[in-house]
Amino acid sequence: MTILFAVTATALWRDVWGHPAAPSSAPLLDAQFTNTATLRMSAAELIRTGGDTSGLTCGSCHDEKKKPVSVHFNADGTIRLPEEHKDLVMQHGRNNHCFNCHDPSNLELLKTRDGTTLKVEEGTKLCGSCHGPTLRDWEAGIHGRATGFWDPRAGARVKADCTSCHDAHSPAFPPIKAAPGPNLFRASLAGAREGAH
Ligand code: HEC
Ligand code: HEC
Ligand code: HEC
Ligand code: HEC
């Protein structure tokens, strides 16, 4: 035992096995992966934060009481939008008709299929009127995102609206880039991981 310890101590002292490579400096993560903002700003958030709501004031061009608005279609059944609405991308499948969601008698309101009118900032209720199972998941915290406090006594919990993530007119969630894996500080470990691929 004594000899074994003596040999080991000498070997360590003389650095027979060398040292692992110095840690490589961790590259900084691209800011897009640490940005906690939602994909888009819902009308509710825009109003809450005092943003530019000019796009939500339909009355600056429409006077639906005097001139009712009708939806126009192309020969292939898709919706034909006027120049003023060319920025809208309509990709909600068979649910593209404007008046499935907007109230034709007051364009600044939303309207569910059962005739309930909602303010534009209540879009989540509109979505939930057709996407019942998703709304239930959202309420249970399985779909979407909640921030704020877990314990209601400590503070409010804020749930992101459907339109914070989905564009009402083109709701499919776009593909997003995955964040890189964890940084392996030791080059030798990184090498081992590379080797495992
Ligand atoms: C910059 C002017 C402008 C604003 C603001 C505007 N619209 Fe329009 N919109 C038009 C014009 C022009 C048309 C085509 C003529 C018409 O139908 O009156 C149109 C048509 C429409 C149509 C019929 C679509 C079709 O197929 O022709 C709907 C629905 C509509 N608008 C909803 C809205 C809603 C809801 C808002 C507010 C959130 C709004 N618009 C704000 C100018 C505007
Ligand atoms: C009037 C009923 C109705 C309302 C209101 C409604 N949807 Fe939909 N939604 C549908 C239908 C129907 C489909 C399937 C369309 C298809 O495949 O033709 C759909 C599809 C979707 C999809 C899948 C899209 C895809 O390409 O995979 C998403 C996401 C979605 N809706 C989100 C929303 C959100 C967010 C709202 C609220 C702003 C909303 N929906 C409001 C009826 C509705
Ligand atoms: C699935 C429901 C749904 C359909 C169908 C729909 N909208 Fe909307 N629209 C909304 C909601 C909800 C908002 C508010 C968006 C938000 O919270 O960000 C909105 C916002 C708007 C706005 C103002 C803000 C913006 O995005 O430019 C205009 C203009 C508009 N819609 C026009 C139309 C027209 C025209 C059609 C038909 C061609 C249409 N919408 C079809 C639900 C719908
Ligand atoms: C924090 C962002 C976020 C919020 C808030 C959110 N969603 Fe989603 N939603 C997603 C993502 C991400 C997907 C998955 C997309 C995929 O798999 O391609 C999705 C998928 C969907 C789908 C497609 C079918 C499915 O279940 O996979 C529907 C419909 C939908 N959401 C409706 C809603 C409705 C209605 C609300 C509000 C009650 C809502 N979403 C709130 C991010 C969100």
Side-chain angles (χ1 to χ4, degrees):
M1 282 299 271
T2 312
I3 294 167
L4 192 65
F5 277 131
V7 169
T8 311
T10 315
L12 286 172
W13 178 59
R14 302 204 54 167
D15 203 9
V16 171
W17 297 293
H19 279 80
S24 58
S25 63
L28 282 180
L29 200 60
D30 193 303
Q32 65 171 304
F33 299 119
T34 48
N35 180 1
T36 57
T38 48
L39 200 66
R40 59 190 305 281
M41 251 202 169
S42 66
E45 203 180 343
L46 209 58
I47 293 168
R48 202 165 49 235
T49 57
D52 177 11
T53 53
S54 57
L56 300 171
T57 33
C58 320
S60 55
C61 297
H62 292 280
D63 187 355
E64 56 276 20
K65 302 274 178 321
K66 280 204 191 111
K67 183 177 176 284
V69 181
S70 50
V71 179
H72 300 88
F73 296 92
N74 296 310
D76 63 356
T78 55
I79 291 180
R80 190 173 72 235
L81 289 171
E83 208 45 55
E84 287 78 358
H85 289 304
K86 276 285 187 278
D87 56 328
L88 297 180
V89 180
M90 297 307 303
Q91 252 157 39
H92 208 135
R94 74 194 75 139
N95 185 41
N96 268 347
H97 197 291
C98 316
F99 299 140
N100 278 2
C101 299
H102 292 278
D103 182 356
S105 61
N106 183 347
L107 287 179
E108 279 171 31
L109 297 179
L110 300 171
K111 191 174 182 180
T112 62
R113 299 317 294 147
D114 69 2
T116 310
T117 50
L118 300 164
K119 290 195 198 125
V120 71
E121 57 266 44
E122 297 176 301
T124 294
K125 286 187 194 158
L126 171 82
C127 310
S129 70
C130 288
H131 295 283
T134 316
L135 179 70
R136 283 196 296 277
D137 287 351
W138 182 85
E139 281 168 343
I142 308 169
H143 192 105
R145 183 168 102 189
T147 47
F149 293 88
W150 172 81
D151 180 355
R153 285 166 305 182
R157 179 153 27 147
V158 185
K159 283 190 169 165
D161 296 303
C162 311
T163 52
S164 291
C165 296
H166 300 280
D167 180 333
H169 307 121
S170 183
F173 196 89
I176 51 176
K177 237 175 126 184
N183 182 62
L184 298 171
F185 284 100
R186 302 260 176 223
S188 55
L189 287 177
R193 199 178 75 135
E194 292 297 303
H197 279 303

